[in-house]
Amino acid sequence: MKLSFAPLAAALFLTAIAPASAGPDQDSVLTYFQQRADSAASPERGKSLFEARHGGGKPQTPSCTSCHGGTPSETGKTRAGKEIAPMALSRTPQRFSDLKKVEKWFRRNCNSVLGRECTAQEKSDFLAFMMSQ
Amino acid sequence: MKKTLFLAAAIGFAGLPVNADERVAVIRDDIVKKECGACHMAFQPQFLPASSWRTIMEGLTDHFGEDASLDEETARHITGYLAGNAGRSRGAKTAIRITELGWFVHEHNDEVSPRARKKAGTMANCTACHRGAEKGYYDDD
């Protein structure tokens, strides 16, 4: 069996940023975005994306934190009053395991908050941050 | 519930169809339950007429100030279920809010305390006051 370098590097990289709770499903979701991004995923940039107040989106939702709670480990709330389980992977272990679900919500929420789709870079930064939490 | 039916008929808005055991029929479609129940409880289709559901489903990219868009196939499936189980149409104009229908306003205006309202955050948060709402019970409190 031949091991090429790229997946090995990706695997090492994933263990480095998401050691505790990420399973194989989360790894493959993160790898999917990572392969489409320009540079390595940065949890720090993911944190800023999560916390920042953005312009350009819908006035009701200036930030990811408008719904997801002030920190990744907090329970959030939709505008219609329904609770959202924490985004931190350590708090909600089922998170980020289904690529279709992840893509659907990135499309919607980036549109609502930023008024545009997020880039693959932004998505992998965001996921790296949440998986490290 | 009988009172509601009477009011709905008298005021002339979409009425509330109920089962023999006096509850609104529950949603039996898993896709509708999942996709339309992510941000609020999935509202039973009987609460709005088919034309309202179609209008709502056509406007999902700006759904009450939010992007709730779906892929085409899922959206078609959901529209079919909602329209197929919709309430009767009475009013001339197409309402997209249950909470603005005549019977709803009438039923809630005097009955809801400011405290309960504040706690719910919005009248669209049915489950905050009707714990059995998802199971179709609205007169249990």
Side-chain angles (χ1 to χ4, degrees):
Chain A
M1 194 183 122
K2 240 186 351 180
L3 262 186
S4 74
F5 177 69
L8 185 62
L12 286 172
F13 167 76
L14 287 171
T15 4
I17 55 163
S21 28
D25 292 339
Q26 281 90 7
D27 283 355
S28 73
V29 168
L30 179 51
T31 304
Y32 174 87
F33 292 111
Q34 186 57 76
Q35 282 168 347
R36 286 158 181 77
D38 300 327
S39 59
S42 151
E44 292 74 34
R45 276 197 311 257
K47 183 173 194 283
S48 326
L49 175 70
F50 178 69
E51 289 173 351
R53 290 179 70 84
H54 304 271
K58 312 213 190 266
Q60 297 91 335
T61 51
S63 169
C64 306
T65 60
S66 308
C67 297
H68 285 297
T71 68
S73 54
E74 272 172 49
T75 298
K77 205 189 223 186
T78 68
R79 287 175 46 236
K82 190 176 159 137
E83 285 195 352
I84 305 177
M87 291 300 267
L89 187 59
S90 63
R91 297 288 312 277
T92 314
Q94 317 82 278
R95 286 240 175 269
F96 319 122
S97 53
D98 174 353
L99 182 60
K100 265 182 86 179
K101 174 178 178 182
V102 172
E103 280 282 51
K104 177 180 73 185
W105 286 103
F106 268 135
R107 184 189 71 235
R108 289 174 168 176
N109 296 345
C110 291
N111 257 336
S112 293
V113 174
L114 304 155
R116 61 167 174 84
E117 303 236 352
C118 285
T119 62
Q121 186 71 58
E122 287 168 324
K123 292 177 190 175
S124 58
D125 293 346
F126 183 86
L127 292 175
F129 173 54
M130 291 306 172
M131 289 183 190
S132 73
Q133 293 295 296
Chain B
M1 227 21 125
K2 286 196 194 79
K3 192 176 64 177
T4 310
L5 276 171
F6 172 73
L7 282 170
I11 300 168
F13 286 89
L16 258 183
V18 288
N19 280 349
D21 61 352
E22 304 225 346
R23 60 175 175 134
V24 180
V26 296
I27 295 177
R28 298 198 185 281
D29 185 290
D30 286 340
I31 297 174
V32 175
K33 257 194 261 180
K34 177 174 159 225
E35 298 296 346
C36 300
C39 300
H40 43 68
M41 81 165 232
F43 305 115
Q44 286 92 355
Q46 296 85 336
F47 282 119
L48 289 171
S51 57
S52 299
W53 291 120
R54 288 204 190 89
T55 306
I56 288 168
M57 292 304 294
E58 278 158 19
L60 286 182
T61 49
D62 190 358
H63 180 73
F64 302 92
E66 244 165 69
D67 185 336
S69 58
L70 289 164
D71 65 85
E72 246 176 72
E73 194 192 329
T74 311
R76 208 178 311 118
H77 174 89
I78 293 174
T79 307
Y81 184 86
L82 294 174
N85 293 279
R88 268 176 303 160
S89 177
R90 303 262 184 109
K93 99 177 205 295
T94 303
I96 55 164
R97 278 190 185 272
I98 301 161
T99 53
E100 284 175 0
L101 296 175
W103 70 262
F104 187 97
V105 174
H106 191 101
E107 194 72 27
H108 291 86
N109 258 5
D110 303 331
E111 300 270 5
V112 177
S113 70
R115 209 171 133 256
R117 222 230 103 123
K118 188 153 176 271
K119 207 169 140 245
T122 156
M123 285 311 286
N125 189 6
C126 318
T127 46
C129 304
H130 302 284
R131 288 218 221 137
E134 273 167 303
K135 297 207 171 84
Y137 294 106
Y138 290 94
D139 57 355
D140 56 342
D141 34 13

